[in-house]
Amino acid sequence: QVQLVESGGGLVQAGGSLRLSCAASGRTFGTYSMGWFRQAPGKEREFVAAITWSGSRTVYADSVKGRFTISRDNTKNTVYLQMNTLKPEDTAVYYCAAKDAGGIWTTEKLYDYWGQGTQVTVSS
């Protein structure tokens, strides 16, 4: 069992930056593939970024490529999402997710564990 707790959300002006963190419980964090998803008001939850257990591979949604960076520190049981050049359309609740398997995953339903989410609001 893994518990995930996101933090770092908030209100920021367009063009600004935020770094989200997702702290995981459990001794086997280093074996989990991790992902970030987001859900804007009135929309379905969508994929943002994912990373392999080792951090050697990452993948991004086209809408955030070049602006967001996913990373992880297995010694701290934490995955990060650095968000730069934020846009109003990035406003959403951001969720981290864990999958108890290797590989890299972009499909929401394949993840095993979810955090409670953190709100990111980008003003124009």
Side-chain angles (χ1 to χ4, degrees):
Q1 189 80 6
V2 173
Q3 291 186 327
L4 305 173
V5 179
E6 302 97 334
S7 61
L11 174 64
V12 63
Q13 289 188 332
S17 298
L18 282 175
R19 188 176 82 155
L20 305 183
S21 299
C22 174
S25 65
R27 294 177 295 173
T28 59
F29 173 77
T31 65
Y32 285 79
S33 302
M34 301 295 295
W36 285 96
F37 290 77
R38 67 185 182 186
Q39 187 168 22
K43 295 186 176 182
E44 294 186 350
R45 191 153 57 182
E46 64 176 4
F47 168 76
V48 176
I51 190 167
T52 54
W53 69 268
S54 65
S56 62
R57 287 181 59 206
T58 58
V59 63
Y60 298 91
D62 288 343
S63 59
V64 306
K65 201 172 295 183
R67 300 188 297 123
F68 290 11
T69 303
I70 187 171
S71 62
R72 65 191 295 163
D73 185 340
N74 288 343
T75 66
K76 297 182 178 179
N77 282 11
T78 302
V79 63
Y80 304 97
L81 186 67
Q82 177 67 44
M83 306 185 295
N84 298 329
T85 320
L86 282 161
K87 304 175 181 180
E89 52 263 43
D90 293 318
T91 295
V93 177
Y94 283 71
Y95 300 87
C96 73
K99 179 167 178 62
D100 187 8
I104 195 163
W105 309 91
T106 63
T107 304
E108 175 184 353
K109 65 180 180 181
L110 295 179
Y111 280 84
D112 302 306
Y113 305 101
W114 292 84
Q116 83 290 347
T118 185
Q119 176 71 47
V120 171
T121 303
V122 184
S123 63
S124 57

